[in-house]
Amino acid sequence: MSRYRELYKELKEVLPFYKRTSQIAIEVCLYVIHSIGEDIEAKEGWSVFNKYYLRLSEKRVTAEHQRWLYMVRKYWHSYGSRFYWNRDLDDYMTHMERERIFTIEEGHIRINPSCQVSVERFLLFRNFLNSLPDEEEIKKEVYCEKIFYRNQEAFELNVESSSDELATLPAYREKKIYTIRQDKDWNMILAEMGGIFSHRPSIQLEILDGDELKLDGLRHVVGTLGSGKSTLKQALIYDAVKNEHLKIAVVENSISKLLELWMLLKQCGIQAIPFISTSSEEIYLREYLAACRGIREIKNSDEIAILSGNCILKAVAGDETEKYPCNRLLNEQSVPVVCPFFGACGHQFRIRELIDADIILITPQAIARSKVEKPIDNYNRSMYELLYDLMDLIIVDEADDIQQDFERSLMVTEHINREQESILVEIEKLYKKVEGCSVIKNDLYNFKQDFERMKSHLTLMERIFIKYHDIIEHYNNKNILINVLRDKVLKGFSYEKVLIDGKETSFEKLLLEYVKLTEGMYGITEEQLSNEIKTMLDFLFDFHWTGSYAEKKIEENSLALLKRYGVTYASDIKNKELQFQRYILLMLLVPFDVMLKRLVRLYSSVYFEMEGYSKSVRMFAGIREQMRHLVTEPCFGMLLGYKLEFKDHLLYIDALRYVGVGREMLLNWSGAKEELGKKGPGILCLSGTSLAPKSAHYHIAKKPDAILYGKPEGKIYMKFKPLADGKSYIRISGTNERQRKENLKKMIDKLADTLRACLSKSQYRKIMIICGSYQEAEEVCAKLRYHNFNAYFVNEDGAEKKNYMVYRKDIERFPVLSNYADILVVPLIVISRGFNILDEDGNSYFGTEFYLARPYMVPGNYANEIQMIHYQLDKIIDAVKKENKDYQNRMLAFRKACFAKFIHVTNITYWKSLNEEDREIMTWFILIQMKQAIGRLQRNGNESFVFLCDSAFCDGLQKQGTELSPSTSTIHSMEFLLESIMEDKATKILYQNFYEAICEMNREAERIYCNLQEEDE
């Protein structure tokens, strides 16, 4: 039994009158709030137990109280949620008053005068909180004589038990700090590394404050393309490990980069351990094998050893399933046990190596989703926490990219009902297994029934909404939050109090309670429903789920409900049809949400029943349980929303979930457990675009500590080249799908001669054409080949193989795979960073880029939208602290301000409609992606040629007499933005080359196109 469970058991023995453990937990939490002295309404007590409390409160919270807050987040994390807090608080208040030490007076937490033992119980709770372990070691039994697979027959193992203790990871290591001095002799370190490193250019690092840089806390080093960031990283690792004996983790944004670094370090005698999840390992191994040119290359590859492993127990047991049995082993008493072959297993080889590893190489995805299992780590830690505890230094390469990866890991979008890789496809696989069972009972029966109801309900929604043209126009590919939809429905109706069954009520009250069904992660159970809502559900859905009359019945019942409650349309509603359709959407989306959550809740238990091990639907798995207390909560509360797509007379639904502030995983990593007095590792961020002031997506909120200098970047020649179509210019960005497709074809027709001219001149090298999506890349490539160009396009990994196509993962091998083709068509988001596509001399294979579409933040991409709020969190916190004196009002105002900002950014549309703040954010979003993509042309100091063909880059050209300014021209907004930061030394070094190219392009554009406007006039 864990130490926490032992302590909790002792607490229950002292307080036997509490029937439920939640009543004890709530009382302990109320004691924490009372002890801190935060005078807050009881219903808002949840807000004390999130990471915003210390940032918003004026209370001087002692070290002891900070530790208590940490422990509540660790052991009772759900109490940071308003829903779960109030659910258990209400239950606590139903308990006999004389046995409760707290009561609620005028809404606030007060000591209960009827209880005579408050002092003794306060001491009891204080001892309990102070005794809770920071980390508790829970060992798994080693057992070798008889082992059971869950849901499989037992089998005998003729293996003698080993008395040797398995080595394990420690709870914590004291930190060593690496210091870089200005006069450090990097050349000596590179020479000591030998081989290719001895020929690397010298590292030129300027420390911006003082003569030395201690790598503790968060540190930030920036440098241009080719300045030697990779060389610095490798030399620093070598020196810190070999000479200073540090433990280091390196975060890389892809497995290919991770393995490349592993091979380089191995060449200079440094043994690093790549941490790759089983699923990623298998995927990457298949990709790697497919890229190998023959058996000799496979046999001689060290990477194969890293990506391959064998499971002895699977072979012994004759287990032919894909799932590894490591966590499915039980002894005869059904106690989980360690595999007897763990110490020799090839599958677990790299995990065992972690114990003595000086260097761990890992991706952000593995950090966010992985943990090291027992018996190697007996402390039940996420990788995020484990690296905090055991590493001295964490190097984060391409830090702005990693920051976004952390953000995206906590903002998940999952398909619900698409043909492949969707939630219902996974659920249906399990449903078919359940359907084949001879005996179906309890959860299996409920799961089967709910799935059948869900399929029928989806069919009903599709049949109704595909006819609702106003809904399609307003909500296609838009994010829908049920609470926001509810408010719009209420605003569009007029209603008063009415008597229903002799009781006074209103349509508003009814709708509020109806939507409350969706509260919490798993919604409200039927037992919690009022009779009014049960009647309403029966009233709405008293029809068979199939049949041609179903949708008509829904409309009739919905109209009858409005009439029953005396509801009419609001006087200011112009589109009554849209209002009614919106009302029907809400009526159907609520039961859809409830059914989906029920299915997901049942899925884990049914999967365990059928397969013998647990599996969750990733959409609802959220943050790893072991990591929740370390992650900053969602700034306006947990979000679960939906996005509808109407396509080819079908309805597709995606689920959106927002569970935390990902960037703070990086920015606050070095202090993630500071409440415990445990010093964290130094975090060193490296990048060339992580210094981007006022960028919501790329900027690392830490002033640079040092600048790397290197070979000058190749000169960029940029040209604005809009293509005329009659009296107007061809526009791609901001047009509808049909126009966009037609205009792209027109562009290629008009660009054909220019493309041939570029290919005929050696300085332009090969051509990369940038478009907006994989589908567009394929269509543009087909048009180019129609014009007899040797062109290929990039498609997403796993797509069906087609002629003249390369997969995203193979981009760096494009020259060889395409037999040195002339043109590659690629979506910008794919090529913006990370790929080095080189010729045989090490120069950039491509020298020219044509932008057919202006980059823009896709409306409805809620991960990008929420990052715009995260970027401004400190600003919002400062504002609410100035405007509100007490913590409760600050917290409520903070959430309200964040949600208002979210609604604002989700309504951002065209460039001309942006306010100044949004325009700066959007300009950085476009600028950084372009700068990173142009970087693919500049390797080894090569010059580059860039043509911007979409007239949307300069909207001002479309209308005569329009002044070209940031509000009318994206390219002028880039110039204006960069000009404002050129006084700063670091930003000037990073962006000077790009800024000069923009300025030259704009002056030329003004001369040519403004003169044309004057001539037309």
Side-chain angles (χ1 to χ4, degrees):
M1 183 183 292
S2 71
R3 177 63 179 147
Y4 163 71
R5 292 187 184 280
E6 288 175 359
L7 290 167
Y8 208 73
K9 184 180 178 183
E10 292 171 8
L11 207 57
K12 286 196 289 184
E13 289 172 353
V14 178
L15 306 172
F17 40 81
Y18 284 130
K19 296 177 182 178
R20 286 175 289 279
T21 57
S22 62
Q23 293 173 329
I24 299 175
I26 278 286
E27 192 163 85
V28 172
C29 292
L30 290 171
Y31 166 70
V32 172
I33 297 172
H34 170 76
S35 183
I36 290 172
E38 191 65 72
D39 189 17
I40 190 171
E41 288 183 42
K43 67 179 182 179
E44 302 300 333
W46 60 272
S47 66
V48 174
F49 303 115
N50 63 49
K51 279 185 167 282
Y52 298 107
Y53 175 66
L54 296 177
R55 294 160 73 173
L56 284 166
S57 177
E58 292 292 339
K59 288 284 180 186
R60 297 186 63 182
V61 183
T62 67
E64 181 183 45
H65 288 152
Q66 287 188 45
R67 187 179 186 280
W68 291 0
L69 292 173
Y70 178 93
M71 290 303 171
V72 172
R73 288 201 306 272
K74 182 179 174 76
Y75 291 106
W76 299 309
H77 187 267
S78 63
Y79 287 160
S81 155
R82 175 186 274 119
F83 175 80
Y84 294 109
W85 170 264
N86 282 301
R87 181 196 66 183
D88 287 359
L89 178 65
D90 290 344
D91 179 58
Y92 171 77
M93 291 304 296
T94 63
H95 190 75
M96 194 178 298
E97 187 173 6
R98 62 186 173 82
E99 293 176 344
R100 286 187 280 109
I101 61 171
F102 290 106
T103 190
I104 298 175
E105 293 179 1
E106 297 180 353
H108 287 254
I109 303 164
R110 297 289 183 260
I111 295 175
N112 179 13
S114 303
C115 184
Q116 303 298 316
V117 293
S118 57
V119 175
E120 293 88 340
R121 208 176 295 173
F122 283 175
L123 182 60
L124 180 72
F125 288 160
R126 181 174 184 175
N127 290 336
F128 170 76
L129 287 161
N130 286 331
S131 299
L132 285 172
D134 302 346
E135 310 292 347
E136 53 179 343
E137 187 172 19
I138 308 171
K139 294 184 178 181
K140 190 187 279 188
E141 182 180 346
V142 179
Y143 191 88
C144 298
E145 294 170 5
K146 197 172 188 179
I147 289 179
F148 291 82
Y149 268 72
R150 288 193 177 96
N151 274 21
Q152 289 186 222
E153 292 182 6
F155 56 91
E156 302 283 347
L157 289 175
N158 297 317
V159 179
E160 292 186 9
S161 299
S162 172
S163 59
D164 296 337
E165 282 272 338
L166 285 169
T168 61
L169 291 165
Y172 182 76
R173 289 189 180 119
E174 294 298 326
K175 306 305 176 192
K176 298 176 183 177
I177 299 174
Y178 185 81
T179 300
I180 302 175
R181 293 178 176 79
Q182 186 64 70
D183 59 357
K184 191 169 188 68
D185 190 347
W186 293 107
N187 287 334
M188 183 181 73
I189 295 169
L190 292 171
E192 187 180 333
M193 294 169 74
I196 61 171
F197 297 100
S198 59
H199 304 293
R200 293 270 181 94
S202 178
I203 294 170
Q204 301 176 50
L205 182 73
E206 180 187 359
I207 298 170
L208 295 177
D209 186 13
D211 296 325
E212 65 178 29
L213 175 60
K214 289 188 174 182
L215 300 187
D216 60 348
L218 179 66
R219 297 298 183 184
H220 190 190
V221 175
V222 298
T224 58
L225 185 74
S227 60
K229 292 186 291 295
S230 294
T231 302
L232 172 67
K233 173 180 66 178
Q234 293 150 15
L236 192 155
I237 291 170
Y238 180 89
D239 186 48
V241 171
K242 283 282 189 181
N243 302 321
E244 306 274 346
H245 309 294
L246 268 73
K247 301 282 187 180
I248 296 178
V250 183
V251 186
E252 295 283 359
N253 61 4
S254 70
I255 293 175
S256 58
K257 282 190 172 183
L258 181 150
L259 291 175
E260 181 184 348
L261 177 59
W262 173 73
M263 293 291 286
L264 282 169
L265 293 173
K266 189 174 182 181
Q267 290 177 28
C268 58
I270 298 288
Q271 186 61 47
I273 302 300
F275 185 91
I276 305 170
S277 67
T278 299
S279 57
S280 298
E281 176 184 292
E282 292 171 353
I283 293 168
Y284 198 84
L285 177 60
R286 287 196 294 270
E287 294 175 358
Y288 183 85
L289 291 173
C292 288
R293 288 184 286 270
I295 191 67
R296 179 174 297 177
E297 187 173 342
I298 292 174
K299 287 174 69 175
N300 296 331
S301 171
D302 287 323
E303 286 176 297
I304 294 294
I306 285 294
L307 294 169
S308 304
N310 58 80
C311 174
I312 300 171
L313 189 58
K314 276 168 67 76
V316 172
D319 180 4
E320 296 181 0
T321 65
E322 295 181 3
K323 181 75 177 179
Y324 287 97
C326 314
N327 294 317
R328 297 160 56 197
L329 305 180
L330 307 172
N331 64 14
E332 291 180 282
Q333 289 74 43
S334 296
V335 175
V337 294
V338 176
C339 175
F341 301 111
F342 186 89
C345 177
H347 174 59
Q348 295 287 356
F349 171 74
R350 279 180 289 104
I351 303 300
R352 295 195 304 273
E353 293 290 293
L354 290 176
I355 295 169
D356 298 316
D358 292 322
I359 304 171
I360 297 174
L361 310 180
I362 193 167
T363 63
Q365 293 78 15
I367 291 170
R369 298 175 191 165
S370 301
K371 59 171 286 191
V372 178
E373 301 286 352
K374 305 181 189 76
I376 296 302
D377 184 33
N378 290 323
Y379 295 96
N380 196 32
R381 289 174 288 195
S382 64
M383 278 304 298
Y384 181 77
E385 184 175 6
L386 186 143
L387 295 178
Y388 180 97
D389 287 338
L390 305 184
M391 297 292 107
D392 299 305
L393 175 64
I394 299 174
I395 299 174
V396 183
D397 201 5
E398 307 293 10
D400 50 335
D401 208 21
I402 303 299
Q403 176 174 265
Q404 289 200 62
D405 283 334
F406 281 148
E407 289 272 49
R408 285 187 287 264
S409 72
L410 303 184
M411 292 183 277
V412 184
T413 299
E414 287 285 341
H415 302 317
I416 290 179
N417 64 328
R418 296 178 190 265
E419 292 180 2
Q420 295 178 339
E421 296 184 359
S422 66
I423 290 174
L424 287 186
V425 167
E426 284 301 308
I427 291 176
E428 187 167 15
K429 290 177 184 176
L430 187 59
Y431 166 80
K432 288 178 179 177
K433 291 184 178 181
V434 171
E435 202 175 25
C437 292
S438 56
V439 179
I440 299 177
K441 56 183 180 178
N442 300 333
D443 280 356
L444 274 69
Y445 175 79
N446 292 332
F447 175 78
K448 182 175 180 293
Q449 187 181 53
D450 284 351
F451 179 75
E452 290 165 357
R453 290 187 68 193
M454 170 62 90
K455 294 284 282 187
S456 296
H457 192 74
L458 272 171
T459 301
L460 175 68
M461 290 176 71
E462 188 171 79
R463 283 181 3 203
I464 288 178
F465 294 130
I466 217 70
K467 300 174 186 175
Y468 282 5
H469 299 297
D470 287 318
I471 284 289
I472 292 174
E473 181 181 345
H474 282 80
Y475 288 99
N476 191 32
N477 276 318
K478 299 286 179 62
N479 300 330
I480 300 175
L481 303 183
I482 291 178
N483 284 348
V484 174
L485 182 63
R486 174 203 64 198
D487 293 344
K488 285 190 175 182
V489 169
L490 287 172
K491 190 176 180 182
F493 285 132
S494 178
Y495 43 84
E496 294 179 356
K497 290 182 179 179
V498 292
L499 283 176
I500 302 288
D501 298 330
K503 293 181 180 179
E504 189 177 74
T505 185
S506 70
F507 179 71
E508 179 181 20
K509 180 184 176 184
L510 180 77
L511 212 59
L512 289 173
E513 191 171 353
Y514 182 60
V515 170
K516 197 175 181 181
L517 287 167
T518 65
E519 282 192 6
M521 198 55 244
Y522 296 118
I524 290 175
T525 63
E526 289 186 17
E527 293 75 23
Q528 296 170 286
L529 295 179
S530 67
N531 289 330
E532 192 173 16
I533 290 297
K534 287 179 181 177
T535 303
M536 176 184 173
L537 288 173
D538 292 339
F539 188 73
L540 275 173
F541 300 109
D542 63 342
F543 63 92
H544 297 294
W545 288 87
T546 56
S548 59
Y549 189 60
E551 56 264 43
K552 191 70 177 174
K553 185 74 171 175
I554 278 285
E555 292 181 347
E556 289 174 355
N557 282 8
S558 299
L559 280 169
L561 187 71
L562 295 178
K563 186 176 180 180
R564 187 179 186 216
Y565 278 79
V567 178
T568 58
Y569 291 103
S571 58
D572 58 347
I573 286 293
K574 296 178 181 178
N575 189 339
K576 294 182 179 179
E577 189 62 29
L578 172 61
Q579 171 62 12
F580 180 72
Q581 292 178 11
R582 187 181 280 142
Y583 162 58
I584 296 293
L585 175 60
L586 178 65
M587 291 295 102
L588 293 178
L589 203 53
V590 167
F592 170 82
D593 177 273
V594 173
M595 280 188 280
L596 180 64
K597 289 172 179 175
R598 278 171 55 92
L599 268 175
V600 167
R601 183 174 70 244
L602 287 167
Y603 181 85
S604 296
S605 60
V606 172
Y607 200 95
F608 185 87
E609 184 78 18
M610 300 298 296
E611 302 293 341
Y613 56 92
S614 295
K615 183 179 178 182
S616 298
V617 177
R618 193 173 80 87
M619 174 72 214
F620 292 86
I623 307 169
R624 285 202 73 96
E625 179 185 355
Q626 298 82 3
M627 208 169 120
R628 289 175 186 163
H629 59 295
L630 301 174
V631 172
T632 301
E633 295 81 1
C635 58
F636 52 80
M638 187 178 293
L639 175 152
L640 178 60
Y642 299 99
K643 183 161 68 174
L644 310 184
E645 182 183 4
F646 303 93
K647 187 176 182 181
D648 300 328
H649 303 291
L650 296 172
L651 169 64
Y652 298 106
I653 305 179
D654 292 343
L656 319 170
R657 192 173 181 205
Y658 165 47
V659 295
V661 184
R663 68 181 58 203
E664 297 203 349
M665 289 173 61
L666 175 61
L667 300 178
N668 298 336
W669 203 351
S670 64
K673 297 170 72 172
E674 60 186 1
E675 298 99 322
L676 305 180
K678 288 185 173 182
K679 185 177 176 62
I683 309 294
L684 175 60
C685 294
L686 300 172
S687 183
T689 48
S690 54
L691 176 60
K694 298 187 179 179
S695 166
H697 304 87
Y698 297 95
H699 185 61
I700 298 292
K702 170 71 172 72
K703 287 182 65 176
D705 297 288
I707 303 172
L708 270 168
Y709 299 88
K711 179 190 288 187
E713 288 183 339
K715 183 170 175 57
I716 305 170
Y717 297 92
M718 296 182 77
K719 185 178 181 67
F720 180 50
K721 189 178 176 59
L723 304 166
D725 182 29
K727 292 187 176 181
S728 61
Y729 293 104
I730 299 175
R731 182 188 180 98
I732 302 298
S733 180
T735 59
N736 63 41
E737 188 176 346
R738 181 184 58 79
Q739 289 175 319
R740 193 176 175 106
K741 189 177 291 189
E742 291 176 1
N743 288 352
L744 283 168
K745 292 178 180 178
K746 288 180 183 179
M747 270 191 171
I748 298 303
D749 289 337
K750 294 179 180 295
L751 278 174
D753 290 341
T754 303
L755 294 171
R756 288 192 178 91
C758 289
L759 290 170
S760 69
K761 298 175 183 178
S762 60
Q763 69 265 34
Y764 288 94
R765 302 193 299 285
K766 305 296 185 180
I767 296 173
M768 188 180 292
I769 292 182
I770 311 291
C771 59
S773 68
Y774 288 114
Q775 183 180 345
E776 286 181 1
E778 182 176 358
E779 291 167 355
V780 168
C781 180
K783 189 66 174 176
L784 287 166
R785 296 201 73 85
Y786 173 80
H787 283 282
N788 297 316
F789 287 104
N790 185 7
Y792 279 66
F793 70 97
V794 172
N795 210 343
E796 59 187 326
D797 299 337
E800 180 186 353
K801 183 64 178 174
K802 297 181 180 180
N803 292 332
Y804 314 115
M805 183 192 95
V806 292
Y807 288 116
R808 182 183 185 276
K809 62 185 173 60
D810 295 326
I811 289 178
E812 291 190 338
R813 299 170 56 237
F814 169 73
V816 174
L817 292 175
S818 67
N819 198 21
Y820 301 94
D822 295 326
I823 299 176
L824 178 64
V825 190
V826 60
L828 177 62
I829 193 65
V830 170
I831 202 64
S832 60
R833 161 172 273 154
F835 294 107
N836 294 323
I837 310 166
L838 308 176
D839 62 18
E840 294 172 344
D841 299 321
N843 295 310
S844 293
Y845 182 78
F846 296 101
T848 305
E849 286 178 351
F850 282 80
Y851 285 80
L852 303 190
R854 180 196 63 188
Y856 205 69
M857 198 173 81
V858 179
N861 185 326
Y862 92 115
N864 281 335
E865 292 165 349
I866 290 179
Q867 286 184 64
M868 293 176 68
I869 309 169
H870 290 173
Y871 156 70
Q872 300 185 55
L873 283 184
D874 287 337
K875 180 180 176 181
I876 294 171
I877 286 172
D878 289 343
V880 300
K881 287 176 76 172
K882 287 179 182 177
E883 294 170 6
N884 300 275
K885 297 300 181 185
D886 65 275
Y887 168 70
Q888 180 172 313
N889 285 330
R890 285 177 178 179
M891 186 64 196
L892 295 174
F894 169 71
R895 278 200 159 192
K896 186 176 180 180
C898 289
F899 191 72
K901 187 68 179 175
F902 174 66
I903 297 300
H904 167 75
V905 299
T906 56
N907 289 316
I908 287 176
T909 52
Y910 300 110
W911 182 268
K912 62 183 178 183
S913 67
L914 301 178
N915 62 36
E916 184 177 345
E917 183 179 56
D918 294 336
R919 189 165 56 246
E920 285 181 330
I921 290 173
M922 198 65 69
T923 302
W924 274 115
F925 186 83
I926 296 168
L927 186 154
I928 295 294
Q929 289 189 66
M930 289 181 62
K931 186 177 187 303
Q932 291 175 349
I934 292 168
R936 304 312 102 215
L937 315 180
Q938 294 180 289
R939 283 292 169 186
N940 211 17
N942 297 131
E943 59 185 20
S944 54
F945 301 87
V946 180
F947 297 87
L948 310 185
C949 304
D950 187 357
S951 68
F953 277 105
C954 186
D955 283 317
L957 287 180
Q958 301 288 355
K959 190 174 181 181
Q960 291 184 352
T962 301
E963 180 185 356
L964 298 184
S965 66
S967 62
T968 63
S969 167
T970 304
I971 55 179
H972 285 78
S973 184
M974 289 184 193
E975 178 183 350
F976 182 80
L977 185 151
L978 291 174
E979 182 181 15
S980 69
I981 61 172
M982 279 298 122
E983 295 298 318
D984 179 76
K985 183 177 185 177
T987 49
K988 185 173 183 179
I989 287 167
L990 295 179
Y991 298 103
Q992 174 93 30
N993 190 25
F994 190 81
Y995 171 62
E996 290 174 355
I998 288 280
C999 290
E1000 291 172 11
M1001 173 180 65
N1002 288 353
R1003 300 298 82 78
E1004 181 187 32
E1006 289 161 6
R1007 285 196 304 272
I1008 296 173
Y1009 298 104
C1010 289
N1011 288 340
L1012 283 177
Q1013 282 190 356
E1014 291 171 8
E1015 290 173 13
D1016 290 341
E1017 292 173 358

